[in-house]
Amino acid sequence: MKYWSQTFIPTLKESPADAEIASHKLLLRAGLVRKLGAGFYTYMPAGLRALRKIMDICREEMDREGATELAMPHVHPVENWQDGPRWAAAREIMYRVDHAGAGKNFYQITTKFRNEIRPRYGLMRAREFIMKDAYSFDATDDAAIESYNKMKRAYTAFFTRCGLKTISVEADTGVMGGSFSHEFMVPAPIGDDDVVYCDASGYAANREKATSGIIPADLKDAAPAGSVEEFPTPGIVTIAALEAAPYHVSADKQFKTLVFMGDGKPFLVIVRGCDDVEEAKLGSLGFQLWRAATPEEIEPVMGAKPGSLGAVKGTIKNPGALAGIFADHAVRLVGNGTTGANKDGFHLRHVNVGRDLAITQFGDFRRVHAGEPCPKCGQPLKIDRAIEVGHVFKLGTKYSEKFGAAYTDDKKQSHLMVMGCYGIGISRTLQAVIEQSNDADGIIWPWNVAPWQVLVVNLDPQDAAATDVAKKLAAAAEAAGADVLVDDRAERPGVKFKDADLVGLPLRLTVGGKGLKEGIIELKWRTSKDVTKVPLPDAEKIVGDAVRAAAKA
RNA sequence: CGGGGUGUAGCUUAGCCUGGUAGAGCGCCUGGUUUGGGACCAGGAGGUCGCGAGUUCGAAUCUCGCCGCCCCGACCA
């Protein structure tokens, strides 16, 4: 039991000017955090309590799936960082596992520092933040997949217990590399990722990874409609211009040919004129680094400037320079189409995918748009903004090779460990909970992560009878398993009620002289507008029952 | 790092264009009246106007530099 007057919950009537989104304003207004500088926040007593609850739930769910916690130093020898973006942690662990054997999953919950390019939205993107990270080491691929699935299960349980609605989506592995990964996303307009999903089939993927079912399974490539024919297009360098009069070639009948540089060598990507390349998908081509080519790089290879490019056999000036010509599957929908002639001011028509284009390899390179058919069930896909709160990667042996994480089997043979890597943004989760659960009056804490679960508002703290009842109610709630805060401040009722709504503890019990005269106290859930009058003799029992019911829900 | 803003009391801000005594609301302190949804009256404390140069008789205000912070873009949990 904690008295408001003894802790420090500096609530604010107005929100500071630099807070923009609801959760950031509420973090500050409810006295949970205070800003020290851009991306640096002090956790005030109530904020720290909520944070600890989230960490504890995380530990319970990690431990339940067999992971084990350790703590590593914040300061690392610089050599550890020379081989990769963030591998000091894994490397430290791997030295031990060499000898300890496979089948382990280590995690830690620590403060991380990132030189965040643009801190914003409070704890959502901070330069100092709290993260749980875990690394699993297994002897076989099957065991690694099992570890991965355990972590997915732990994450799902963790976010559910935090009262957070997340969707797990297939994700690009990005700089971490690895075989496959899932992100746990919280839908939110401030998110910096796009999530593509289908309510009907449950399909969900990060836009960087998402595919759609726009190509019918029974699609037959169009028969050639005539031989390739060059025609003059003076000054025409855009898809849109070719769609207009006098050409009238709709974008979905055009081939868009783009030039990229992959590890210093140019390569081509062909998509439909109406499609965009999803650059993250080019990672599947095996290049370490890739980017769009510059006009200066393009012309010597292709023989024309951007706007007149194509990949028809025999038209590319220096095909030997290319690392490959990669076409998105969807170009098969074009059939006989139009593309650049690799000659400024000219295009080619009657271009047939199979017959005419010099394609090395087909692949999935296009960006998915809302409304396209779901790859699983064909229903229209939706796209929403979301923020990432967790990420699980199956890494394979990429890093165990690099850092020599191996085990010795019973035949004295050495094998590389199959690894996984799993992160949760703990402090971000805290704010995501608030972002997802608030109203015009303040925060609406889910039971399990509320700084305290029950607030006893004593409207007349100078009155001995009211104070006595308040203490008894608090004790009853505590005995039933709740964390209890008692508002014993000498404030006017209006102030206390406003603060109660703002701070948002799930269950409010109000004790005051007026109610006591009637022989009642009041019980109110933060999620509801209804106030229940509870007769004094039953109050302790009813409060206890309410607490137990809420904890179970 | 590029573009756009902004910096005045603990918080929200007016004043800046057109140089001349730094003002309000909230919060805080004192006294009184109130007392179940951010009360009212009276009094009070609290400011290197981000920092440093410059122009000027005189700078919160104009000029230059630096710093902080916020917003829009590419990286990350």
Side-chain angles (χ1 to χ4, degrees):
Chain A
M1 180 185 319
K2 195 75 185 175
Y3 288 99
W4 196 304
S5 63
Q6 291 170 341
T7 181
F8 187 55
I9 309 175
T11 57
L12 301 169
K13 242 186 231 187
E14 294 171 287
S15 51
D18 54 8
E20 211 193 359
I21 61 170
S23 56
H24 188 191
K25 288 179 186 165
L26 289 171
L27 275 171
L28 294 161
R29 288 192 54 212
L32 301 173
V33 301
R34 267 193 187 170
K35 186 166 87 168
L36 193 63
F40 297 106
Y41 290 85
T42 299
Y43 292 95
M44 305 306 285
L48 182 61
R49 287 187 62 92
L51 192 70
R52 286 231 173 97
K53 293 200 172 187
I54 290 172
M55 290 192 234
D56 287 344
I57 294 170
C58 181
R59 290 192 171 99
E60 285 174 25
E61 294 304 330
M62 291 300 289
D63 289 341
R64 191 194 306 282
E65 295 295 350
T68 186
E69 185 174 14
L70 48 69
M72 294 192 297
H74 284 133
V75 178
H76 292 260
V78 66
E79 315 83 78
N80 288 9
W81 288 92
Q82 284 165 355
D83 288 323
R86 62 155 88 147
W87 289 95
R91 180 173 190 155
E92 280 296 309
I93 295 168
M94 281 189 271
Y95 284 131
R96 289 153 213 216
V97 173
D98 278 359
H99 305 288
K104 299 270 191 269
N105 185 343
F106 298 98
Y107 74 94
Q108 61 171 353
I109 296 177
T110 51
T111 299
K112 300 275 177 187
F113 303 89
R114 288 284 141 67
N115 199 5
E116 176 66 46
I117 303 171
R118 184 145 100 84
R120 57 183 139 171
Y121 304 134
L123 302 179
M124 285 292 193
R125 283 176 168 220
R127 284 151 87 185
E128 182 186 298
F129 59 95
I130 298 169
M131 175 172 154
K132 187 279 307 178
D133 54 336
Y135 302 88
S136 67
F137 304 84
D138 284 292
T140 66
D141 207 56
D142 284 349
I145 290 171
E146 178 57 25
S147 293
Y148 182 88
N149 288 334
K150 280 182 178 174
M151 285 299 100
K152 262 192 84 176
R153 206 154 62 212
Y155 277 36
T156 304
F158 165 74
F159 289 119
T160 303
R161 286 183 63 191
C162 289
L164 201 55
K165 287 191 191 71
T166 57
I167 37 183
S168 94
V169 306
E170 293 172 25
D172 188 72
T173 49
V175 292
M176 300 288 285
S179 343
F180 51 86
S181 83
H182 282 83
E183 289 170 338
F184 287 78
M185 311 294 282
V186 176
I190 55 114
D192 33 30
D193 285 295
D194 284 323
V195 169
V196 177
Y197 65 98
C198 169
D199 293 328
S201 70
Y203 174 78
N206 190 307
R207 198 193 61 196
E208 294 182 347
K209 182 85 179 174
T211 62
S212 76
I214 55 163
I215 304 174
D218 57 357
L219 176 76
K220 291 208 172 55
D221 289 341
S227 45
V228 174
E229 179 183 304
E230 187 177 283
F231 63 105
T233 50
I236 301 300
V237 293
T238 62
I239 303 284
L242 209 53
E243 280 193 288
Y247 306 104
H248 300 296
V249 183
S250 66
D252 61 0
K253 288 293 169 197
Q254 299 185 38
F255 297 102
K256 186 191 285 184
T257 308
L258 298 158
V259 187
F260 290 85
M261 300 299 287
D263 299 334
K265 271 192 107 177
F267 66 93
L268 304 187
V269 176
I270 309 170
V271 295
R272 295 187 300 169
C274 56
D275 283 338
D276 295 306
V277 168
E278 181 61 62
E279 287 199 29
K281 290 183 176 178
L282 302 182
S284 66
L285 297 174
F287 298 106
Q288 292 292 311
L289 285 171
W290 63 93
R291 58 169 173 83
T294 63
E296 294 71 36
E297 289 165 331
I298 291 172
E299 203 170 352
V301 178
M302 301 300 288
K305 296 187 182 67
S308 304
L309 304 181
V312 172
K313 292 171 188 165
T315 66
I316 298 169
K317 187 177 177 188
N318 184 9
L322 292 172
I325 300 176
F326 306 101
D328 184 77
H329 294 298
V331 301
R332 293 177 56 215
L333 293 166
V334 176
N336 294 283
T338 297
T339 191
N342 290 325
K343 201 163 129 190
D344 290 336
F346 292 90
H347 279 74
L348 302 173
R349 59 164 75 104
H350 305 312
V351 173
N352 184 273
V353 176
R355 183 188 67 185
D356 305 316
L357 293 179
I359 294 167
T360 326
Q361 187 189 319
F362 282 92
D364 173 25
F365 306 118
R366 65 186 289 279
R367 176 173 294 183
V368 167
H369 294 287
E372 291 180 7
C374 167
K376 283 191 178 170
C377 73
Q379 292 298 304
L381 289 169
K382 294 180 187 168
I383 300 187
D384 274 326
R385 301 294 283 175
I387 182 125
E388 180 184 356
V389 286
H391 205 155
V392 294
F393 295 87
K394 177 173 175 287
L395 292 173
T397 55
K398 178 175 173 183
Y399 292 97
S400 33
E401 197 169 344
K402 206 160 196 167
F403 294 114
Y407 70 97
T408 306
D409 67 14
D410 52 8
K411 298 187 183 68
K412 298 188 178 170
Q413 292 291 305
S414 185
H415 301 278
L416 290 174
M417 303 269 198
V418 188
M419 289 180 58
C421 160
Y422 319 94
I424 288 178
I426 297 285
S427 43
R428 178 179 283 182
T429 297
L430 170 67
Q431 188 171 343
V433 168
I434 299 170
E435 182 66 24
Q436 206 171 73
S437 187
N438 68 78
D439 65 14
D441 294 317
I443 300 172
I444 303 174
W445 283 110
W447 186 266
N448 291 335
V449 295
W452 295 271
Q453 284 128 352
V454 176
L455 174 65
V456 179
V457 180
N458 182 358
L459 293 178
D460 298 291
Q462 76 294 342
D463 179 284
T467 302
D468 182 57
V469 172
K471 194 180 281 181
K472 283 188 171 132
L473 292 177
E478 209 163 56
D483 295 322
V484 182
L485 179 68
V486 179
D487 188 352
D488 60 335
R489 295 174 299 168
E491 288 287 350
R492 298 170 55 84
V495 173
K496 295 190 166 195
F497 289 134
K498 286 290 184 188
D499 273 348
D501 290 342
L502 178 57
V503 175
L505 304 184
L507 180 58
R508 187 184 87 190
L509 306 170
T510 308
V511 181
K514 194 173 135 187
L516 292 184
K517 260 180 220 152
E518 269 183 75
I520 57 111
I521 59 106
E522 290 165 14
L523 181 151
K524 180 184 174 298
W525 297 98
R526 180 63 179 85
T527 48
S528 161
K529 294 245 177 294
D530 303 332
V531 175
T532 309
K533 295 186 176 183
V534 179
L536 263 180
D538 309 332
E540 289 172 62
K541 179 181 182 307
I542 287 177
V543 165
D545 290 345
V547 166
R548 278 183 289 270
K552 208 179 285 178

